[in-house]
Amino acid sequence: QVHLVQSGADVKKPGASVNVSCTASGYSFSSYAVHWVRQAPGHSLEWMGWINPANGNTKYSQRLQDRVTITRDTSASTAYMELTSLRSEDTAVYYCASVGIGDSFHIWGQGTMVTVSS
Amino acid sequence: DIQMTQSPSSLSASVGDRVTITCRASQSISRYLNWYQQKPGKAPKLLIYGASSLQTGVPSRFSGSGSGTDFTLTISSLQPEDFTTYYCQQSYTTPYTFGQGTKLEIK
């Protein structure tokens, strides 16, 4: 069965960085792009960026590109999302998702709650 | 960026009703339109991809249509588990933007 399993919830102080992992199982990790999406409480979904696990190529949201980095470790079938210089507005659930036909997000991780608070 | 506008933002209906949610893109996205269902505290679930293709395992009461800038999600006969929030998303070009969501409530 295809799964994406994310790391656990985290609490950070303003100005700190957070790293969220996303481990794939049940399929060839290198074959499908992994995207990151976040959702602030009570809000819609915001696309953050994606990585091609086969070659490590990435693309980021212009709004976040100065603060977000997505990497991968193919030997561990894991993608990582690092967000730096955290502020309260970054409090959100962070999701990874694997793409299917037409770049639809057909498999999602369970989500990781990141709280930024002093 | 392509803006995705859903309407209505909320909708009250009864079990057994037929409902339609609309999504409009700020420019043509061909048929690169996906629909997701999200229940509280859970990750979104893909319902429809490519504007009208039903994801495996999704009940046939869900259907999608449209192309270009205007799209619809229709639920033909609402079941109790369908009362939750729905999002459209364009995957035509990055950033892959989402609509603001439609909350479907029991009347």
Side-chain angles (χ1 to χ4, degrees):
Chain A
Q1 204 158 8
V2 177
H3 285 298
L4 292 174
V5 178
Q6 298 182 220
S7 48
D10 211 342
V11 179
K12 296 291 185 183
K13 294 195 181 303
S17 299
V18 69
N19 201 310
V20 181
S21 67
C22 170
T23 301
S25 62
Y27 75 98
S28 173
F29 174 70
S30 294
S31 298
Y32 301 96
V34 174
H35 292 244
W36 288 88
V37 173
R38 69 179 182 177
Q39 186 173 37
H43 286 76
S44 181
L45 300 150
E46 178 186 10
W47 181 82
M48 300 179 67
W50 71 279
I51 187 166
N52 180 340
N55 57 21
N57 287 350
T58 55
K59 188 166 186 180
Y60 303 121
S61 159
Q62 267 200 314
R63 204 169 88 86
L64 296 171
Q65 66 178 10
D66 292 340
R67 299 195 294 131
V68 66
T69 303
I70 301 172
T71 57
R72 95 294 191 210
D73 178 350
T74 53
S75 68
S77 297
T78 299
Y80 303 91
M81 186 282 300
E82 182 185 35
L83 189 62
T84 62
S85 302
L86 290 168
R87 33 228 200 205
S88 58
E89 310 89 88
D90 296 318
T91 293
V93 178
Y94 289 76
Y95 294 102
C96 61
S98 176
V99 298
I101 299 171
D103 270 9
S104 59
F105 296 174
H106 71 141
I107 303 294
W108 293 69
Q110 83 275 19
T112 297
M113 182 69 212
V114 174
T115 303
V116 182
S117 173
S118 55
Chain B
D1 298 0
I2 298 176
Q3 306 302 316
M4 305 301 294
T5 303
Q6 280 181 242
S7 61
S9 298
S10 63
L11 176 58
S12 293
S14 301
V15 173
D17 283 355
R18 177 187 180 92
V19 299
T20 297
I21 299 169
T22 296
C23 182
R24 175 164 289 176
S26 60
Q27 66 185 73
S28 177
I29 57 171
S30 185
R31 294 177 62 82
Y32 289 88
L33 190 283
N34 311 304
W35 290 97
Y36 300 88
Q37 177 192 67
Q38 187 179 31
K39 297 189 175 180
K42 299 295 186 182
K45 172 188 172 183
L46 179 64
L47 298 176
I48 302 283
Y49 62 91
S52 62
S53 296
L54 195 66
Q55 174 69 352
T56 302
V58 174
S60 59
R61 62 180 181 275
F62 293 91
S63 64
S65 67
S67 66
T69 59
D70 294 312
F71 302 87
T72 59
L73 172 70
T74 298
I75 310 172
S76 60
S77 177
L78 280 169
Q79 299 301 301
E81 61 269 28
D82 300 337
F83 291 91
T84 189
T85 303
Y86 295 85
Y87 295 96
C88 63
Q89 177 220 19
Q90 63 83 15
S91 54
Y92 180 74
T93 187
T94 57
Y96 286 168
T97 41
F98 292 83
Q100 81 278 15
T102 295
K103 187 172 184 179
L104 188 47
E105 297 171 310
I106 299 177
K107 187 182 288 183

Coordinates of all heavy atoms in Angstrom, one line a residue, chain A residues 32-88:
Chain A
Y32 N 8.1 9.8 -8.8 CA 7.0 10.8 -8.8 C 7.5 12.0 -8.0 O 8.0 11.9 -6.9 CB 5.8 10.2 -8.2 CG 5.3 9.0 -8.9 CD1 5.6 7.7 -8.6 CD2 4.5 9.2 -10.1 CE1 5.2 6.6 -9.3 CE2 4.0 8.1 -10.8 CZ 4.4 6.8 -10.4 OH 4.0 5.7 -11.1
A33 N 7.1 13.2 -8.5 CA 7.4 14.4 -7.8 C 6.8 14.4 -6.4 O 5.7 13.9 -6.2 CB 7.0 15.6 -8.6
V34 N 7.4 15.1 -5.5 CA 6.8 15.4 -4.1 C 6.6 16.9 -3.9 O 7.6 17.6 -4.1 CB 7.7 14.8 -3.0 CG1 7.1 15.2 -1.6 CG2 7.8 13.3 -3.1
H35 N 5.4 17.2 -3.6 CA 5.1 18.6 -3.4 C 4.8 18.9 -1.9 O 4.5 17.9 -1.2 CB 3.8 19.0 -4.1 CG 4.0 19.0 -5.6 ND1 3.9 20.2 -6.4 CD2 4.3 18.0 -6.5 CE1 4.1 19.9 -7.7 NE2 4.3 18.6 -7.8
W36 N 5.0 20.1 -1.5 CA 4.7 20.5 -0.1 C 3.6 21.6 -0.1 O 3.7 22.5 -0.9 CB 5.9 21.0 0.6 CG 6.9 19.9 0.9 CD1 7.9 19.4 0.1 CD2 6.9 19.1 2.1 NE1 8.5 18.4 0.7 CE2 8.0 18.2 2.0 CE3 6.2 19.1 3.3 CZ2 8.3 17.3 3.0 CZ3 6.6 18.3 4.3 CH2 7.6 17.3 4.2
V37 N 2.6 21.4 0.7 CA 1.5 22.3 0.8 C 1.3 22.6 2.3 O 1.5 21.7 3.2 CB 0.2 21.6 0.3 CG1 -1.0 22.5 0.5 CG2 0.4 21.3 -1.2
R38 N 0.9 23.8 2.7 CA 0.6 24.1 4.1 C -0.8 24.7 4.2 O -1.4 25.2 3.2 CB 1.6 25.0 4.7 CG 1.6 26.5 4.2 CD 2.7 27.3 4.9 NE 2.7 28.7 4.5 CZ 3.5 29.6 5.0 NH1 4.3 29.3 6.0 NH2 3.4 30.8 4.6
Q39 N -1.3 24.6 5.4 CA -2.7 25.1 5.7 C -2.7 25.7 7.1 O -2.6 25.0 8.1 CB -3.7 23.9 5.6 CG -5.1 24.4 5.8 CD -6.1 23.2 5.5 OE1 -5.8 22.1 5.9 NE2 -7.2 23.5 4.9
A40 N -2.8 27.1 7.1 CA -2.9 27.8 8.4 C -4.3 27.5 9.0 O -5.3 27.2 8.2 CB -2.7 29.3 8.2
P41 N -4.5 27.6 10.3 CA -5.7 27.3 10.9 C -6.9 28.1 10.3 O -6.8 29.3 10.2 CB -5.5 27.6 12.4 CG -4.0 27.5 12.6 CD -3.4 27.9 11.3
G42 N -7.9 27.3 9.9 CA -9.1 28.0 9.3 C -8.9 28.5 7.9 O -9.8 29.2 7.4
H43 N -7.8 28.2 7.3 CA -7.6 28.8 5.9 C -7.5 27.7 4.9 O -7.5 26.5 5.2 CB -6.2 29.6 6.0 CG -6.4 30.9 6.6 ND1 -6.4 31.0 8.0 CD2 -6.4 32.1 6.1 CE1 -6.5 32.3 8.3 NE2 -6.5 33.0 7.2
S44 N -7.4 28.1 3.7 CA -7.2 27.2 2.5 C -5.8 26.7 2.5 O -5.0 26.9 3.4 CB -7.6 27.9 1.2 OG -7.6 27.1 0.1
L45 N -5.5 26.0 1.4 CA -4.2 25.3 1.2 C -3.3 26.2 0.3 O -3.7 26.9 -0.6 CB -4.5 24.0 0.4 CG -5.4 23.1 1.2 CD1 -6.2 22.2 0.3 CD2 -4.6 22.2 2.1
E46 N -2.0 26.2 0.7 CA -1.0 27.1 0.0 C 0.1 26.2 -0.5 O 0.7 25.5 0.3 CB -0.5 28.1 1.0 CG 0.6 29.0 0.3 CD 1.3 30.0 1.3 OE1 1.1 29.9 2.5 OE2 2.0 30.8 0.8
W47 N 0.3 26.2 -1.8 CA 1.4 25.4 -2.4 C 2.7 26.1 -2.0 O 2.9 27.3 -2.2 CB 1.2 25.3 -3.9 CG 2.2 24.6 -4.6 CD1 2.3 23.2 -4.8 CD2 3.4 25.1 -5.3 NE1 3.4 22.9 -5.5 CE2 4.1 24.0 -5.9 CE3 3.9 26.4 -5.5 CZ2 5.3 24.2 -6.6 CZ3 5.0 26.6 -6.2 CH2 5.7 25.5 -6.8
M48 N 3.7 25.2 -1.6 CA 5.0 25.8 -1.2 C 6.1 25.5 -2.2 O 7.1 26.3 -2.4 CB 5.4 25.2 0.2 CG 4.4 25.5 1.3 SD 4.9 24.7 2.8 CE 6.4 25.6 3.2
G49 N 6.1 24.3 -2.8 CA 7.2 24.0 -3.7 C 7.2 22.5 -4.0 O 6.3 21.7 -3.4
W50 N 8.1 22.0 -4.9 CA 8.2 20.6 -5.2 C 9.6 20.2 -5.5 O 10.5 21.0 -5.8 CB 7.2 20.2 -6.3 CG 7.6 20.7 -7.7 CD1 7.4 22.0 -8.2 CD2 8.2 20.0 -8.7 NE1 7.8 22.0 -9.5 CE2 8.3 20.8 -9.9 CE3 8.7 18.6 -8.8 CZ2 8.9 20.4 -11.0 CZ3 9.2 18.2 -10.0 CH2 9.3 19.1 -11.1
I51 N 9.8 18.9 -5.4 CA 11.1 18.3 -5.8 C 10.9 17.1 -6.7 O 10.0 16.4 -6.5 CB 11.9 17.9 -4.5 CG1 13.3 17.5 -4.9 CG2 11.2 16.8 -3.7 CD1 14.3 17.5 -3.7
N52 N 11.8 17.0 -7.6 CA 11.9 15.8 -8.4 C 12.9 14.9 -7.7 O 14.1 15.1 -7.8 CB 12.4 16.1 -9.9 CG 12.5 14.9 -10.8 OD1 12.6 13.8 -10.3 ND2 12.5 15.1 -12.0
P53 N 12.4 13.8 -7.1 CA 13.3 12.9 -6.4 C 14.4 12.3 -7.2 O 15.5 11.9 -6.7 CB 12.4 11.9 -5.7 CG 11.1 12.5 -5.7 CD 11.0 13.3 -7.0
A54 N 14.2 12.1 -8.5 CA 15.1 11.5 -9.4 C 16.4 12.3 -9.5 O 17.5 11.7 -9.6 CB 14.5 11.2 -10.7
N55 N 16.3 13.6 -9.6 CA 17.5 14.4 -9.9 C 17.7 15.6 -8.9 O 18.6 16.3 -8.9 CB 17.4 15.0 -11.3 CG 16.2 15.8 -11.6 OD1 15.6 16.3 -10.7 ND2 15.9 16.0 -12.8
G56 N 16.7 15.7 -7.9 CA 16.8 16.7 -6.9 C 16.4 18.1 -7.4 O 16.5 19.1 -6.6
N57 N 16.0 18.3 -8.6 CA 15.5 19.6 -9.1 C 14.3 20.1 -8.2 O 13.4 19.3 -7.9 CB 15.1 19.5 -10.5 CG 16.3 19.4 -11.5 OD1 17.5 19.6 -11.0 ND2 16.1 19.2 -12.7
T58 N 14.3 21.4 -8.0 CA 13.2 21.9 -7.1 C 12.7 23.2 -7.8 O 13.3 23.8 -8.6 CB 13.8 22.3 -5.7 OG1 14.9 23.2 -5.9 CG2 14.2 21.1 -4.9
K59 N 11.5 23.5 -7.3 CA 10.9 24.8 -7.6 C 10.0 25.2 -6.4 O 9.4 24.4 -5.8 CB 10.0 24.7 -8.9 CG 9.5 26.1 -9.3 CD 8.9 26.1 -10.7 CE 8.6 27.5 -11.2 NZ 8.0 27.5 -12.6
Y60 N 10.1 26.5 -6.1 CA 9.5 27.1 -4.9 C 8.5 28.2 -5.2 O 8.6 28.9 -6.2 CB 10.5 27.6 -4.0 CG 11.6 26.6 -3.6 CD1 12.9 26.8 -3.8 CD2 11.3 25.4 -2.9 CE1 13.9 25.9 -3.5 CE2 12.2 24.5 -2.6 CZ 13.6 24.8 -2.8 OH 14.5 23.8 -2.5
S61 N 7.6 28.3 -4.3 CA 6.7 29.5 -4.3 C 7.5 30.7 -4.2 O 8.4 30.8 -3.4 CB 5.7 29.4 -3.2 OG 5.2 30.7 -2.9
Q62 N 7.2 31.7 -5.1 CA 8.0 33.0 -5.0 C 7.8 33.6 -3.6 O 8.8 34.3 -3.2 CB 7.4 34.0 -6.1 CG 8.2 33.9 -7.4 CD 8.0 35.1 -8.2 OE1 6.9 35.6 -8.4 NE2 9.1 35.6 -8.8
R63 N 6.7 33.5 -3.0 CA 6.4 34.1 -1.8 C 7.3 33.5 -0.6 O 7.7 34.2 0.3 CB 5.0 33.8 -1.4 CG 4.4 34.8 -0.4 CD 2.8 34.6 -0.4 NE 2.5 33.6 0.6 CZ 2.3 33.9 1.9 NH1 2.5 35.1 2.4 NH2 2.0 32.9 2.8
L64 N 7.7 32.3 -0.8 CA 8.5 31.6 0.3 C 9.9 31.3 -0.2 O 10.7 30.8 0.7 CB 7.8 30.3 0.7 CG 6.4 30.4 1.3 CD1 5.8 29.1 1.4 CD2 6.5 31.1 2.7
Q65 N 10.3 31.6 -1.4 CA 11.5 31.0 -1.9 C 12.8 31.4 -1.2 O 13.8 30.7 -1.2 CB 11.7 31.3 -3.4 CG 11.9 32.8 -3.8 CD 12.0 33.0 -5.3 OE1 11.8 32.0 -6.1 NE2 12.4 34.2 -5.7
D66 N 12.7 32.6 -0.5 CA 13.9 33.0 0.3 C 14.1 32.2 1.6 O 15.1 32.2 2.2 CB 13.8 34.5 0.6 CG 13.9 35.3 -0.6 OD1 14.5 34.8 -1.6 OD2 13.5 36.5 -0.6
R67 N 13.0 31.5 2.0 CA 13.0 30.8 3.3 C 12.8 29.3 3.3 O 13.0 28.6 4.3 CB 11.9 31.4 4.2 CG 12.1 32.9 4.5 CD 11.2 33.3 5.7 NE 9.8 33.2 5.4 CZ 8.9 32.7 6.2 NH1 9.3 32.1 7.3 NH2 7.6 32.6 5.8
V68 N 12.4 28.7 2.1 CA 12.1 27.3 2.1 C 13.1 26.6 1.2 O 13.6 27.1 0.2 CB 10.7 27.1 1.5 CG1 10.6 27.5 0.0 CG2 10.2 25.6 1.7
T69 N 13.5 25.4 1.7 CA 14.4 24.5 1.0 C 13.8 23.1 1.0 O 13.5 22.6 2.1 CB 15.8 24.5 1.5 OG1 16.3 25.8 1.6 CG2 16.7 23.6 0.7
I70 N 13.7 22.4 -0.1 CA 13.2 21.1 -0.2 C 14.4 20.2 -0.7 O 15.0 20.5 -1.7 CB 12.0 20.9 -1.1 CG1 10.8 21.8 -0.6 CG2 11.5 19.5 -1.2 CD1 9.6 21.9 -1.6
T71 N 14.6 19.1 0.0 CA 15.7 18.2 -0.4 C 15.2 16.8 -0.3 O 14.0 16.5 0.1 CB 16.9 18.3 0.6 OG1 16.4 18.1 1.9 CG2 17.5 19.7 0.5
R72 N 16.0 15.8 -0.7 CA 15.6 14.4 -0.6 C 16.8 13.5 -0.4 O 17.9 13.9 -0.7 CB 14.8 14.0 -1.9 CG 15.5 13.3 -3.0 CD 16.6 14.2 -3.7 NE 17.1 13.5 -4.9 CZ 18.3 13.7 -5.3 NH1 19.1 14.5 -4.7 NH2 18.7 13.2 -6.5
D73 N 16.5 12.4 0.2 CA 17.4 11.3 0.4 C 16.8 10.1 -0.3 O 15.9 9.4 0.3 CB 17.7 11.1 1.9 CG 18.7 10.0 2.1 OD1 19.0 9.2 1.2 OD2 19.1 9.8 3.3
T74 N 17.3 9.7 -1.5 CA 16.6 8.6 -2.2 C 16.9 7.3 -1.5 O 16.0 6.4 -1.6 CB 17.2 8.6 -3.6 OG1 18.6 8.5 -3.6 CG2 16.7 9.8 -4.4
S75 N 18.0 7.2 -0.8 CA 18.3 5.9 -0.1 C 17.3 5.6 1.0 O 17.1 4.5 1.4 CB 19.7 5.9 0.4 OG 19.9 6.8 1.5
A76 N 16.7 6.7 1.5 CA 15.8 6.6 2.6 C 14.3 6.9 2.1 O 13.4 6.9 2.9 CB 16.1 7.6 3.7
S77 N 14.2 7.1 0.8 CA 12.9 7.3 0.2 C 12.2 8.5 1.0 O 11.0 8.4 1.3 CB 12.0 6.1 0.2 OG 12.5 5.1 -0.6
T78 N 12.9 9.5 1.3 CA 12.4 10.6 2.2 C 12.7 12.0 1.5 O 13.8 12.2 1.0 CB 13.1 10.5 3.5 OG1 12.7 9.3 4.2 CG2 12.6 11.6 4.4
A79 N 11.7 12.8 1.6 CA 11.8 14.2 1.2 C 11.8 15.0 2.5 O 11.1 14.7 3.5 CB 10.7 14.6 0.3
Y80 N 12.5 16.2 2.4 CA 12.5 17.1 3.6 C 12.1 18.5 3.1 O 12.5 18.9 2.0 CB 13.9 17.1 4.2 CG 14.5 15.8 4.5 CD1 15.2 15.0 3.6 CD2 14.3 15.3 5.8 CE1 15.7 13.8 4.0 CE2 14.8 14.0 6.2 CZ 15.5 13.3 5.3 OH 16.0 12.0 5.6
M81 N 11.5 19.2 4.1 CA 11.1 20.6 3.8 C 11.7 21.4 5.0 O 11.3 21.1 6.2 CB 9.6 20.8 3.7 CG 9.1 22.2 3.3 SD 9.1 23.4 4.6 CE 8.0 22.6 5.8
E82 N 12.5 22.4 4.7 CA 13.0 23.2 5.8 C 12.5 24.6 5.5 O 12.6 25.2 4.4 CB 14.6 23.3 5.8 CG 15.1 24.2 6.9 CD 16.6 24.3 6.9 OE1 17.2 24.3 5.8 OE2 17.2 24.4 8.0
L83 N 12.0 25.2 6.6 CA 11.5 26.6 6.5 C 12.3 27.4 7.6 O 12.3 27.0 8.8 CB 10.0 26.7 6.8 CG 9.3 28.0 6.5 CD1 9.5 28.5 5.1 CD2 7.8 28.0 6.9
T84 N 12.9 28.5 7.2 CA 13.7 29.3 8.1 C 13.0 30.6 8.5 O 12.0 30.9 8.0 CB 15.1 29.6 7.5 OG1 14.8 30.4 6.3 CG2 15.8 28.3 7.1
S85 N 13.7 31.3 9.4 CA 13.2 32.6 9.9 C 11.7 32.6 10.2 O 10.9 33.4 9.7 CB 13.5 33.7 8.8 OG 14.9 33.7 8.6
L86 N 11.3 31.6 11.0 CA 9.9 31.4 11.3 C 9.2 32.6 12.0 O 9.9 33.2 12.8 CB 9.7 30.1 12.1 CG 10.0 28.8 11.4 CD1 10.1 27.7 12.4 CD2 9.0 28.5 10.4
R87 N 8.0 32.8 11.6 CA 7.2 33.8 12.2 C 5.8 33.3 12.6 O 5.5 32.1 12.1 CB 7.0 35.1 11.4 CG 7.0 34.8 9.9 CD 7.9 35.8 9.2 NE 7.6 35.9 7.8 CZ 8.5 36.3 6.9 NH1 9.7 36.6 7.2 NH2 8.1 36.4 5.6
S88 N 5.0 34.0 13.3 CA 3.8 33.4 13.8 C 2.9 33.0 12.7 O 2.1 32.0 12.8 CB 3.0 34.4 14.7 OG 2.8 35.6 14.0

